[in-house]
């Protein structure tokens, strides 16, 4: 039994229509639950600064310095007997610092800040 070209094209079109997403049954998705807010107390601002050429590198240095400053603050608080830390509101802001002209370029200064808080018990 041989199929005619028109019949084979129509059968392929029917198969493609059957397997398209419009014909597929999709189970309704449940809305994603928002993460639980962690109750915190006694927040402190931890800051770090970096100055370098190029905003991307300076921003990365400031983030690294902030991580170091957060670790140091956590170790000091742990030495005082406090445990359970939450880091909130990390942000880095950069601005032009010194313009050395067209030969060297513009130096950037970035300030990285975060809130280091204790978990409420």
């Amino acid at each position: 039994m041989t199929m005619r070209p028109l019949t084979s094209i129509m059968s392929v079109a029917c198969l493609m229509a059957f397997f398209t997403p419009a014909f597929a049954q999709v189970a309704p998705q449940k809305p994603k639950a928002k993460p639980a807010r962690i109750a915190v107390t006694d927040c402190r601002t931890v800051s770090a600064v970096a100055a370098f050429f190029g905003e991307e590198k300076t921003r990365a240095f400031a983030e690294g310095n902030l991580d170091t400053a957060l670790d140091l603050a956590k170790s000091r608080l742990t030495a005082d007997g406090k445990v359970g830390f939450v880091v909130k509101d990390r942000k880095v802001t950069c601005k032009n610092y010194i313009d050395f002209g067209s030969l060297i370029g513009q130096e950037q200064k970035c300030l990285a800040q975060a809130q280091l808080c204790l978990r409420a018990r």
Side-chain angles (χ1 to χ4, degrees), residues 69-87:
L70 284 169
D71 290 341
L72 182 62
K74 287 178 186 178
S75 66
R76 286 181 182 165
L77 291 170
T78 302
D80 292 340
K82 297 178 181 175
V83 293
F85 304 108
V86 177
V87 177

Side-chain angles (χ1 to χ4, degrees), residues 102-117:
S102 61
L103 291 177
I104 298 175
Q106 185 81 30
E107 187 176 18
Q108 302 289 321
K109 183 177 183 179
C110 293
L111 173 65
Q113 293 181 320
Q115 295 288 322
L116 181 62
C117 304

